[in-house]
Amino acid sequence: MRPELLAPAGSPEALRAAVQNGADAVYLGWGEFNARRGAKNFDDQEFADALVYCHARGVRVFLTMNTLLTDRELPAALETAATACRLGIDALIIQDWGLFDLLRKALPDLPLHASTQMSVFTTGGAREAAADGCERVVIARECSAEDTAEICRRCPVEVETFGHGALCMCYSGQCGMSAVVGGRSGNRGRCAQPCRLPYGMDAPAKRDYPLSLKDSCLADRLQEMEDMGVACLKLEGRMKRPEYVAVITRIYARLLEEGRKPTAAELEELEQAFSRSGFTDWYWQGRHGAGMFGVRPENAQDPKDLFDEVRAAYEKDTLRTVPVRFTCTVKSGEACLLTAEDADGHAVTVTGTVPEAARNRAVTAEEICQRLAKTGGTAYRCESVTADVDEGLSLPASAVNALRRDALAALTEARVTPPVRRELPIPGMADIDCSADAPLFTVSVASADQLSQELLDCGPVRVYVPLEELVRMERLPAGDTEWCAILPRVWRDKDEPLLLEWLETAKTMGVSSVLVGNIGHLTLARAAGMTMHGDYGMNVFNGRSVDYLRQKGLASACLSFELRFAQMRDMPKVLPTDAIVYGRLPLMITENCLVQNRFGCRLDRAHPTVPSSAPCRQNHALKDRTGAEFPLMGVFGHRTEIQNGKVLWLADRNDYRRLGLRYARLRFTTETAEECAQVMQAYLRGDAAPGEFTRGLYERGVE
């Protein structure tokens, strides 16, 4: 079965462009809770009209509610979802775990799709979302054909992939760069696209764009997707012009319908519509490298002739029609009857006037059929029409036209009537309060080399160490602390046997818990039988998200570093909570190794560990136009984690001690072992920062 074609609708005009050019479904934003808040989006009337317009033409509509939400925003988000549900929305696309859990319980019949913002890229993650009630999982853009096929094979629900459009440099849902550097959160729908700016590698920024990926184009991979069972192909572009939407939708719809690869002319049209130095399909191939990167020329012009042509076509509103079958009965002494049926099983019957005896020429069945077939200017086209007409009767054309109008209106009403869905009372949360009067310190390290007896003598109650670092240690240092393995933030199904082997090794060393930063980690942690603590990658933004993790069996939850202190303080804490209070905040995690792209690392991704001697582990940094530096860390899978240039410093502030947190985490990345111990000692004393620092987002918050 061919994949559903899902097109972007950033405005009512873009929606019409998508529908008229062959989209099977569209996704759009309505209200404040969507990841493209900068798009035109839809007002209340436009949203209601969009549902009628699409459903009349057999097109499904998905509402994007794929942002993180505060506790104060959840009631409004639920009301938005409930209103959309009553109007007949076909599904909601969700990121926030708290909203997801709330909707699953309050609106149990409303289909939910796991947004790519949930960072799902393994079978375990997809199956976990499915088990919790997702009907579709949108997997990461970075997934290869091999990854996608494996997820499709083992996931019990639909799998959606991105087929065309912009690629984020960071894994979706894991980017903090826009928020930390500019105060505009990508997780809140306000991404400022810092990845499109110039950066230098260990040098001032000039004309290099090491974070700007070319747009993806998988137009010649559609048969592969169909063969592996991809349920939906998504086209990106809610911030793009309606004409762009028309061009890409038209081409992809044609390719799917005809089961073929694109022609040279079609590829040229795709590139004319929008590209950044061409396209890439390297992620799909499982490839990475500098050849994936490109920028949009400053003087790039929209293709006027192409855009004029597609706009003129979709504005007529006649490209997309629904086939209808008419059956008419005209009997003497009885009101005329007309039945209209569509291919989806809807059938309506309307009555008209009673025909009179013919004074001159009698109406014929052929004339009735000809008049009924004139459906121009509507959303329908007459596929077939039959008429049973008694002889000697007169029926004016106006009566036949009225009969047709009434039948099509009734058919439209049947097609657009929302399904009946349950609305249950808002569920309460667990009556548990795990707040603490003051937090206990935990520490996380990037390397085992940062561990020292001086650090452990400071008394951290828990020490987080990357799993790949733990297994290269002969033994754990002596110390009265809980040892916790940090699972890789990004991995693949094929890595899991090795990760499980490492977890067993860690257990024998005395490691008792794991840090869960992705929904897919749950499968690994349960298989290892270890205590689970939630990491910042889970994007916990409200109390219901904490409660969701409690229901999943976690012992604690790390709160998002995009929250303000007041939001953390007021959050219901049904689990012990943790927050980062020191360190370089993680800005991005990228599938590409940035150092390899610039200098070459000569490492094989088949060996997922990145040795400490590798070039990408040797103090490299990006520099932006202001001269700010962002250290680069090589991480599991030969990927890169970009760190903030300034360290978060709160030692001299008492604010974080009064939030009800159970734990306060010191996050060590580029520090030496000596510096790690010195920082923790400074926090125990409450010292002022020794150098340049940031207070993070805890005071200023994010848009």
Side-chain angles (χ1 to χ4, degrees):
M1 186 174 182
R2 78 169 181 83
E4 176 181 61
L5 181 61
L6 177 59
S11 67
E13 186 182 357
L15 178 137
R16 182 164 51 161
V19 171
Q20 290 298 317
N21 282 279
D24 299 310
V26 296
Y27 60 104
L28 54 81
W30 171 57
E32 291 298 310
F33 311 117
N34 76 91
R36 290 293 182 270
R37 289 163 66 189
K40 184 178 184 297
N41 292 317
F42 292 72
D43 64 25
D44 292 355
Q45 189 58 55
E46 289 169 342
F47 177 61
D49 291 344
L51 287 167
V52 171
Y53 179 86
C54 290
H55 288 163
R57 291 161 177 78
V59 176
R60 300 206 292 168
V61 183
F62 305 147
L63 177 62
T64 57
M65 295 188 70
N66 52 343
T67 59
L68 301 181
L69 303 170
T70 66
D71 286 289
R72 290 187 177 184
E73 291 170 332
L74 280 175
L78 177 59
E79 182 54 37
T80 296
T83 302
C85 184
R86 296 176 202 125
L87 291 172
I89 197 73
D90 293 285
L92 300 187
I93 305 172
I94 303 296
Q95 174 188 14
D96 190 281
W97 295 112
L99 179 63
F100 171 69
D101 190 49
L102 182 60
L103 293 176
R104 193 68 289 137
K105 294 171 180 175
L107 301 171
D109 303 323
L110 178 60
L112 300 181
H113 295 177
S115 170
T116 190
Q117 291 284 116
M118 282 189 177
S119 310
V120 176
F121 41 74
T122 64
T123 296
R127 290 175 66 88
E128 197 72 37
D132 285 341
C134 273
E135 297 193 4
R136 176 181 291 180
V137 178
V138 188
I139 60 176
R141 294 169 173 89
E142 291 85 352
C143 287
S144 67
E146 179 186 359
D147 302 327
T148 304
E150 183 68 5
I151 294 172
C152 287
R153 185 178 69 82
R154 297 173 56 196
C155 181
V157 297
E158 295 179 343
V159 173
E160 177 178 309
T161 66
F162 279 83
H164 192 95
L167 290 172
C168 294
M169 184 62 190
C170 180
Y171 273 81
S172 292
Q174 300 300 308
C175 185
M177 193 163 192
S178 180
V180 172
V181 175
R184 295 173 54 185
S185 171
N187 283 316
R188 301 269 289 160
R190 293 292 191 190
C191 180
Q193 295 191 310
C195 53
R196 303 301 178 189
L197 298 175
Y199 298 89
M201 179 72 75
D202 302 329
K206 292 182 180 179
R207 302 289 296 176
D208 292 330
Y209 295 84
L211 304 182
S212 181
L213 286 160
K214 296 178 181 178
D215 280 21
S216 175
C217 178
L218 301 182
D220 61 349
R221 304 289 184 169
L222 305 186
Q223 189 59 53
E224 296 175 35
M225 294 183 185
E226 182 174 345
D227 292 344
M228 65 180 61
V230 170
C232 179
L233 177 74
K234 174 176 281 184
L235 308 177
E236 184 275 338
R238 278 197 291 147
M239 300 289 286
K240 301 282 200 339
R241 291 182 52 164
E243 295 89 345
Y244 166 87
V245 174
V247 171
I248 63 170
T249 304
R250 180 176 69 176
I251 291 174
Y252 276 85
R254 190 185 299 153
L255 298 181
L256 287 169
E257 183 66 27
E258 299 174 9
R260 61 174 176 83
K261 293 179 180 292
T263 64
E266 288 168 331
L267 289 173
E268 184 179 356
E269 282 192 2
L270 290 173
E271 189 159 351
Q272 286 179 11
F274 190 91
S275 77
R276 291 182 171 90
S277 312
F279 296 115
T280 182
D281 66 351
W282 280 18
Y283 279 154
W284 185 257
Q285 294 185 51
R287 298 177 62 191
H288 316 82
M292 298 183 68
F293 292 77
V295 296
R296 180 76 168 165
E298 293 180 2
N299 59 351
Q301 300 293 317
D302 287 327
K304 185 178 184 303
D305 291 344
L306 176 60
F307 279 5
D308 286 348
E309 178 234 320
V310 295
R311 183 172 58 253
Y314 72 69
E315 284 182 342
K316 293 177 181 177
D317 223 26
T318 57
L319 297 175
R320 180 68 167 268
T321 53
V322 176
V324 62
R325 301 183 300 276
F326 289 122
T327 303
C328 185
T329 303
V330 181
K331 296 293 183 180
S332 177
E334 300 177 7
C336 300
L337 297 177
L338 179 61
T339 298
E341 299 177 87
D342 63 22
D344 298 319
H346 301 102
V348 296
T349 300
V350 296
T351 60
T353 61
V354 178
E356 298 179 353
R359 296 180 180 180
N360 297 309
R361 189 175 65 83
V363 71
T364 65
E366 183 179 2
E367 289 173 322
I368 296 288
C369 290
Q370 289 175 348
R371 291 169 185 171
L372 290 175
K374 295 179 180 179
T375 57
T378 73
Y380 301 95
R381 68 179 183 277
C382 182
E383 185 177 61
S384 67
V385 55
T386 59
D388 181 9
V389 182
D390 282 354
E391 294 182 357
L393 298 178
S394 174
L395 190 67
S398 60
V400 178
N401 292 340
L403 200 62
R404 184 189 62 240
R405 285 195 301 270
D406 290 347
L408 292 181
L411 184 60
T412 297
E413 183 66 23
R415 292 176 63 84
V416 305
T417 298
V420 177
R421 291 165 171 157
R422 292 172 292 167
E423 293 187 32
L424 303 181
I426 298 176
M429 290 194 295
D431 186 15
I432 305 170
D433 184 8
C434 296
S435 300
D437 292 335
L440 302 171
F441 286 115
T442 66
V443 301
S444 71
V445 297
S447 167
D449 297 335
Q450 293 171 308
L451 295 171
S452 68
Q453 193 60 52
E454 289 75 16
L455 178 63
L456 295 175
D457 287 344
C458 292
V461 296
R462 186 179 304 133
V463 178
Y464 305 103
V465 185
L467 178 59
E468 61 269 32
E469 291 289 302
L470 281 168
V471 296
R472 74 179 183 88
M473 298 168 61
E474 293 184 2
R475 66 183 65 84
L476 295 177
D480 184 17
T481 188
E482 175 189 355
W483 292 92
C484 181
I486 305 174
L487 292 169
R489 289 181 67 188
V490 177
W491 76 104
R492 290 294 187 269
D493 282 354
K494 61 186 177 183
D495 299 320
E496 293 192 357
L498 178 61
L499 295 178
L500 287 171
E501 179 183 324
W502 285 352
L503 284 172
E504 288 302 316
T505 300
K507 284 173 65 176
T508 63
M509 296 170 63
V511 176
S512 59
S513 58
V514 293
L515 198 54
V516 171
N518 184 280
I519 191 70
H521 282 157
L522 297 177
T523 302
L524 294 168
R526 290 180 188 133
M530 301 173 78
T531 301
M532 298 182 290
H533 298 288
D535 204 2
Y536 58 83
M538 293 298 293
N539 288 326
V540 174
F541 222 74
N542 53 67
R544 285 199 177 270
S545 290
V546 177
D547 197 37
Y548 172 79
L549 296 184
R550 181 192 64 81
Q551 296 171 64
K552 303 299 286 185
L554 272 68
S556 69
C558 182
L559 305 184
S560 169
F561 53 77
E562 294 186 15
L563 288 165
R564 296 195 307 273
F565 278 146
Q567 292 166 329
M568 290 182 168
R569 180 196 64 214
D570 297 340
M571 184 182 299
K573 298 177 177 65
V574 296
L575 273 181
T577 52
D578 180 14
I580 298 172
V581 299
Y582 167 83
R584 299 185 186 277
L585 294 175
L587 303 185
M588 287 189 181
I589 182 163
T590 71
E591 184 67 11
N592 273 268
C593 174
L594 300 182
V595 177
Q596 182 184 46
N597 290 351
R598 179 65 178 85
F599 301 116
C601 285
R602 298 176 302 281
L603 293 180
D604 185 354
R605 280 181 179 263
H607 302 285
T609 55
V610 180
S612 58
S613 59
C616 52
R617 296 288 293 268
Q618 304 304 309
N619 300 321
H620 294 285
L622 291 181
K623 291 188 178 182
D624 69 9
R625 296 169 298 174
T626 71
E629 293 192 6
F630 303 95
L632 304 178
M633 287 175 49
V635 295
F636 182 91
H638 203 190
R639 300 174 175 94
T640 297
E641 190 171 270
I642 304 174
Q643 312 297 322
N644 195 28
K646 297 179 181 178
V647 296
L648 172 69
W649 188 275
L650 299 177
D652 54 334
R653 297 289 298 270
N654 285 323
D655 311 53
Y656 78 90
R657 302 176 187 273
R658 298 193 294 260
L659 305 178
L661 299 170
R662 180 72 60 86
Y663 306 110
R665 187 188 309 183
L666 310 180
R667 183 175 188 265
F668 298 120
T669 51
T670 60
E671 295 86 352
T672 65
E674 181 181 10
E675 289 169 338
C676 292
Q678 290 171 349
V679 167
M680 184 155 188
Q681 290 163 1
Y683 265 73
L684 291 172
R685 293 189 299 264
D687 292 354
E692 194 174 19
F693 68 96
T694 177
R695 299 297 191 188
L697 299 166
Y698 295 139
E699 294 178 324
R700 59 189 172 104
V702 294
E703 292 184 27

